[in-house]
Amino acid sequence: MAERITGHTELIGLMAYPIRHSSSPAMHNEAFAYLGLDYAYLAFEVDNSTLEDAIKGFRALKMVGSNVSMPNKTVVGQYLDKLSPAAELCGAVNTIVNEDGVLTGHITDGIGFMQSLKDNDIDVIGKKMTICGAGGAATAIEIQAALDGVKEISIFNVHDKFWDNAVETVKKINERTECKAALYDLDDKDKLKEEMDSSFIFVNGTGVGMKPLEGMSVVPDQSFFRPELIVVDVPYAPLETKMRTMAKEAGCKTMNGLGMMLFQGAAAFELWTGKQMPIEHMKEVLNIKYE
Ligand code: NAD
């Protein structure tokens, strides 16, 4: 590594708090080294109180780009010059690109989700999706799916603090894309079954299944799954969730959230470097299996 860094090396950052657990630095630096690209990716502990200064520093240092994660994703847009259409619709940014001093905010989580499906030979364009969730991950998926041409999206969420966000997302999708979106209460299990039965793909975009909600599932039992339904869990720790186990037992093709994680990084990598991330190498090095 020390030999790789020179006076020409360009800096790409990650601004979030907490952040020391992140696998993004290992992923991007491995990809830069593998392709012989002269960039270094470093994580910086930045929260809302230091974000504005961090972006000023980013401009002053002429950094090439940065990732942004919680608690900064929904806040950073005000300090940037432009937003991509998806970032504007989501109200969130996870990637900043510096083009000659003009900072553009992008959201690559939804792009990553859609790309991970393609990588698994799953074509959702023109089809119906049922998805649980109204937080950061689910909203990014819902907006990108609508922008990319998914025909219909049924969103389910519980009546918590995220409900109003889901109302907004449905409104934006219906007004600004060709996709037809609707919102339902996740407690209405009959409606959930009905919507899943008429869908091509079912996505859990909530934190249910992941710590501290490990061992729980948004889908009550195996009867909700038919073998033709594609089932995707966005959480990836633990990799095997109760929901995916039930779906697999019902004969469904399933995916965990590692594909979305890998491809959101790949999309950011391409925005910064103009080069494709070496996906198969990264899967091998990071031991990523998402089926
Ligand atoms: P968030 O806090 O923004 O949203 C949480 C969502 O979970 C909301 O829809 C909320 O209503 C729902 N929820 C919480 N408790 C619930 C419960 N008891 N019953 C039903 N619904 C409940 O979180 P997020 O950032 O959107 O992350 C959601 C999950 O996706 C997490 O497990 C996260 O680790 C994972 N994630 C994965 C990726 C990836 O690349 N695969 C990216 C981002 C997030």
Side-chain angles (χ1 to χ4, degrees), residues 112-259:
F113 175 85
M114 296 299 284
Q115 194 60 39
S116 71
L117 296 181
K118 265 191 208 156
D119 189 55
N120 223 345
D121 295 323
I122 297 167
D123 180 9
V124 289
I125 306 308
K127 298 177 183 153
K128 175 170 173 175
M129 170 187 286
T130 290
I131 176 165
C132 295
T139 304
I141 293 169
E142 290 151 9
I143 294 287
Q144 195 65 46
L147 287 172
D148 285 1
V150 167
K151 190 170 132 211
E152 204 179 329
I153 303 179
S154 292
I155 301 172
F156 284 81
N157 210 71
V158 288
H159 266 281
D160 62 4
K161 64 177 182 177
F162 292 94
W163 181 264
D164 290 347
N165 189 45
V167 172
E168 272 302 301
T169 302
V170 165
K171 193 163 170 261
K172 286 180 200 168
I173 289 175
N174 286 332
E175 283 176 6
R176 314 247 312 249
T177 77
E178 298 296 312
C179 177
K180 184 170 158 273
L183 173 62
Y184 304 101
D185 190 334
L186 183 54
D187 288 336
D188 186 349
K189 299 302 181 195
D190 290 341
K191 190 66 189 166
L192 178 65
K193 172 99 172 53
E194 192 184 317
E195 294 304 298
M196 285 174 71
D197 280 347
S198 57
S199 290
F200 172 76
I201 183 167
F202 174 74
V203 182
N204 170 37
T206 73
V208 177
M210 191 151 167
K211 276 184 184 142
L213 305 174
E214 204 175 336
M216 290 170 63
S217 164
V218 286
V219 179
D221 62 63
Q222 203 174 308
S223 70
F224 282 63
F225 299 106
R226 60 187 205 288
E228 304 76 36
L229 186 68
I230 307 285
V231 177
V232 186
D233 226 345
V234 168
Y236 53 83
L239 275 182
E240 292 307 321
T241 58
K242 184 178 174 188
M243 187 193 81
R244 282 183 68 237
T245 303
M246 284 195 297
K248 278 187 206 168
E249 281 170 8
C252 301
K253 181 180 173 86
T254 74
M255 280 173 68
N256 61 43
L258 286 179

Side-chain angles (χ1 to χ4, degrees), residues 98-102:
N98 184 354
E99 284 150 316
D100 298 325
V102 177

